[in-house]
Structure formats: structure tokens, C-alpha cells
Amino acid sequence: MGKASSGKRAAKAGGTRDHTVPRMYLGHFARHVARRKHELMVRRLDNVDRPFPVTPANIAAETGYYWGISADGIPHHTAEELFTSLEGSADTVLKLLLNDPQWALTPHWPLSPNRRHALAWWMAAVGYSCS
């Protein structure tokens, strides 16, 4: 079964895999290990002495995390759609900053008002969703 079919089935059941930390953000800190494969080294809180590799797609994800219920009792995924939109706008700004070899000394600072706006909305949304 293709990803689209399994995604539709999961959505009907309210069982989507929602990332609490965006994959695009985690990907900036991952190590390239093979063609189209990146890994992060992580540790479990109950066993911090044993780090293990994981892909950005397989970390910080919970089933149905962003599902909500409307006033009419209808399940919806509107929050995830909003976060996806904000991530898309912030992604170009994060790439600009995180991929700059000068890091904090980037010549792109201060950011233009449009870039500041995109980054601020994304940061506020991520901060709110983690609280």
C-alpha cells in the first residue's frame, strides 16, 4: 500500500504521526550517512548512557498529537495544517541561517521584515505546541 493510501486511512482514524519538532528543523542537525539518509544520535531518558542513531522522520513523533475536535464533535487536523504552512515559510529562513558557514556572523543579519515575520510565527507556534 502506498504512503498516500495509508495516510488517508490513518487520517480517518485520527492516527496520523505528527511531529512535535519539525523534521525539516531536525534535519539541519542530522549527520549525512548515505544517499538521502540522515541520522541523529539520541538517548532515552531512562537509559542516557546508551546513545543510538535515529532518522529525523522517526523522532519526536506522536500518533494523533495535533488532532482536535470541533464544537460539533467532528475530528479535524487543522493545527497540523497550520504548522505545516508556517514551517514552509520558515524553512527558507532557517536554511539561510543554519547553512551559512559564518553561523551567528551571517551577513544576512538583520533579517528582512518578511523573513523575521516568517521565523517569528514559526517560533511562536513551535513554542506554543511544546507547552
Side-chain angles (χ1 to χ4, degrees):
M1 179 181 307
K3 283 185 179 182
S5 297
S6 63
K8 287 178 187 174
R9 190 178 68 241
K12 286 180 183 175
T16 56
R17 257 178 112 240
D18 299 325
H19 285 81
T20 58
V21 178
R23 288 172 46 187
M24 65 91 175
Y25 185 70
L26 291 170
H28 287 288
F29 301 99
R31 179 177 53 123
H32 183 258
V33 293
R35 184 174 180 261
R36 299 181 67 195
K37 183 175 181 184
H38 294 79
E39 289 180 342
L40 296 159
M41 292 302 289
V42 299
R43 300 168 192 263
R44 294 192 188 282
L45 292 175
D46 60 354
N47 196 353
V48 295
D49 294 330
R50 297 188 60 206
F52 60 95
V54 66
T55 65
N58 292 321
I59 190 168
E62 291 188 34
T63 301
Y65 187 76
Y66 292 117
W67 276 94
I69 307 259
S70 73
D72 299 326
I74 300 169
H76 65 83
H77 209 221
T78 307
E80 174 66 12
E81 293 166 8
L82 171 65
F83 290 139
T84 298
S85 173
L86 293 172
E87 287 170 24
S89 298
D91 186 43
T92 55
V93 180
L94 287 168
K95 283 179 181 174
L96 178 78
L97 297 175
L98 295 173
N99 293 338
D100 191 314
Q102 296 182 47
W103 289 73
L105 301 175
T106 178
H108 304 290
W109 199 263
L111 294 172
S112 69
N114 287 344
R115 288 178 174 158
R116 277 195 310 252
H117 184 257
L119 190 59
W121 270 105
W122 177 77
M123 290 172 67
V126 169
Y128 176 77
S129 72
C130 293
S131 62

